[in-house]
């Protein structure tokens, strides 16, 4: 098997999300998306405490046509939605949602985090859905660290959130083939195998690493070529990274705010349906 060559290493940029500064590795100056991945945000917040849960985080908003996924690294994230789901996921866990034909959800820190204060670190990324599954019923899966399978060595731990990795099956249901991993490594090397035709991105949360011989530093996005299977990851210090890889869907993408469809007409329909309450009504409980 051959190592994937590196196409480009792209530093992430800080963007302002309604008053909150987050790192944005994707989209970037080089690409609007890497099919099927549409967006990656890395946020590190400190909650000051003595706040009510309803005062912090993001209140009810709709989505349609893709999967917004949140990897939780520090602090807890509570999800509530218009289909009645309500779950808190802590560090090492994942909030997985397929918005399908439409859902309204809120994303907030846990009650404890709002009241006592503390750090929260998350990565949210958006995965596109093939046209024929965009109007499926919404699907939600809260996944704790304990429920996430992994491979492990003295020097590394790699969690498999979605896709198959050497017989380990990630729990999240996807609508196109992909492999989504989150890793921690210290002072050693690991070879990861990714199908060569999968579009592949690696994002580094902290520290620095060598990936297939190229030095990568914290908050860099590594864009790999589809010319091999191996990611040789060599760490000189303790670092954390994620691997987003998947078969390209190869369809036109038209997005507007929280909706990702194929055509402008479908976007207008999504706006209308959301306004008419067809994505449900979320009455949050605190
Ligand atoms: Mn959302």
């Amino acid at each position: 098997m051959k190592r994937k060559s590196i196409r480009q290493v792209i530093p992430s940029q800080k963007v302002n999300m309604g008053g909150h500064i987050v790192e944005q590795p994707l989209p970037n100056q080089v690409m609007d998306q890497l099919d099927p991945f549409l967006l990656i945000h890395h946020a590190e917040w400190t909650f000051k405490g003595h706040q009510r849960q309803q005062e912090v985080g993001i209140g009810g908003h709709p989505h349609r046509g893709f999967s917004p996924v949140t990897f939780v690294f520090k602090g807890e994230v509570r999800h509530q939605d218009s289909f009645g789901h309500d779950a808190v996921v802590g560090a090492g866990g994942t909030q997985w949602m397929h918005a399908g034909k439409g859902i309204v959800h809120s994303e907030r820190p846990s009650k404890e985090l709002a009241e006592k204060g503390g750090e929260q670190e998350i990565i949210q990324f958006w995965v596109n859905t093939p046209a024929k599954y965009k109007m499926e019923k919404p699907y939600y899966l809260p996944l704790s660290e304990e429920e996430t399978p992994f491979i492990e060595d003295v020097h590394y731990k790699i969690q498999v959130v979605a896709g198959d990795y050497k017989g380990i099956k990630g729990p999240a249901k996807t609508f196109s083939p992909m492999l989504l991993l989150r890793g921690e490594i210290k002072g050693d090397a690991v070879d990861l195998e990714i199908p060569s035709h999968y579009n592949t991105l690696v994002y580094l949360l902290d520290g620095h690493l060598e990936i297939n011989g190229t030095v990568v530093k914290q908050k860099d996005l590594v864009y790999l070529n589809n010319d091999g299977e191996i990611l040789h990851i060599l760490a000189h210090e303790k670092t954390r990274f994620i691997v987003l890889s998947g078969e390209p869907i190869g369809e036109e993408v038209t997005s507007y705010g929280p909706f990702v469809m194929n055509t402008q007409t479908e976007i207008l329909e999504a706006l209308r349906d959301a306004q008419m309450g067809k994505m449900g009504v979320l009455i949050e409980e605190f």
Side-chain angles (χ1 to χ4, degrees):
M1 274 186 290
K2 190 173 169 283
R3 289 184 182 182
K4 289 178 183 289
S5 62
I6 288 177
R7 178 133 170 197
Q8 205 155 356
V9 177
I10 306 156
S12 62
Q13 287 192 307
K14 286 184 166 46
V15 296
N16 190 330
M17 295 293 296
H20 299 290
I21 305 296
V22 305
E23 293 285 344
Q24 181 176 284
L26 186 75
N28 53 56
Q29 295 128 314
V30 179
M31 50 197 172
D32 289 336
Q33 59 153 324
L34 183 68
D35 189 3
F37 306 106
L38 305 163
L39 170 145
I40 308 172
H41 279 168
H42 178 201
E44 291 171 275
W45 293 309
T46 302
F47 294 102
K48 62 184 183 188
H50 304 290
Q51 285 182 297
R52 293 186 307 159
Q53 198 179 22
Q54 50 268 50
E55 295 170 332
V56 283
I58 307 163
H61 58 281
H63 287 293
R64 172 181 280 181
F66 70 103
S67 295
V69 179
T70 304
F71 285 171
V72 183
F73 293 90
K74 288 180 194 164
E76 303 87 32
V77 175
R78 183 181 181 191
H79 162 108
Q80 295 186 70
D81 69 42
S82 52
F83 284 72
H85 302 117
D86 182 353
V88 176
V89 166
T94 300
Q95 290 278 13
W96 186 284
M97 183 170 89
H98 175 240
K101 64 184 176 187
I103 188 166
V104 176
H105 79 152
S106 64
E107 303 161 87
R108 300 188 188 272
S110 64
K111 189 179 172 73
E112 194 186 0
L113 194 50
E115 289 175 356
K116 291 186 180 166
E119 287 179 79
Q120 182 168 70
E121 183 177 18
I122 58 168
I123 287 182
Q124 181 166 104
F125 57 95
W126 289 11
V127 187
N128 200 8
T129 303
K132 64 175 177 176
Y133 301 117
K134 278 186 185 290
M135 296 300 275
E136 294 267 307
K137 190 170 162 258
Y139 158 77
Y140 169 68
L141 180 72
L143 202 55
S144 69
E145 180 173 26
E146 295 71 32
E147 292 163 334
T148 310
F150 58 88
I151 55 166
E152 195 178 33
D153 193 287
V154 192
H155 298 285
Y156 62 80
K157 179 176 178 178
I158 314 283
Q159 290 177 294
V160 184
V161 178
D164 280 304
Y165 190 81
K166 295 183 175 178
I168 298 172
K169 201 166 164 42
K173 180 172 95 178
T174 67
F175 290 87
S176 61
M178 67 187 74
L179 180 61
L180 308 181
L181 306 173
R182 40 192 290 184
E184 273 182 30
I185 186 166
K186 49 182 180 188
D188 199 3
V190 61
D191 275 354
L192 298 176
E193 281 172 44
I194 313 269
S196 62
H197 69 289
Y198 277 20
N199 284 344
T200 305
L201 296 170
V202 179
Y203 174 73
L204 198 56
L205 283 79
D206 44 27
H208 74 283
L209 285 176
E210 279 178 42
I211 298 181
N212 292 351
T214 296
V215 175
V216 180
K217 63 177 194 333
Q218 59 176 341
K219 301 181 172 73
D220 279 347
L221 184 73
V222 187
Y223 174 19
L224 294 123
N225 284 313
N226 298 1
D227 58 355
E229 296 82 19
I230 300 295
L231 285 182
H232 179 72
I233 298 181
L234 172 64
H236 300 294
E237 58 180 329
K238 189 167 179 255
T239 59
R240 298 170 299 156
F241 62 91
I242 62 169
V243 178
L244 305 186
S245 64
E247 206 170 273
I249 295 168
E251 293 171 350
E252 195 64 37
V253 177
T254 303
S255 65
Y256 180 80
F259 311 119
V260 182
M261 302 303 290
N262 301 101
T263 68
Q264 195 62 43
T265 307
E266 290 166 344
I267 290 292
L268 294 172
E269 284 167 3
L271 284 162
R272 188 197 59 203
D273 289 351
Q275 218 157 32
M276 287 171 65
K278 285 191 178 174
M279 298 181 185
V281 175
L282 171 62
I283 297 161
E284 289 182 278
E285 284 174 22
F286 297 105

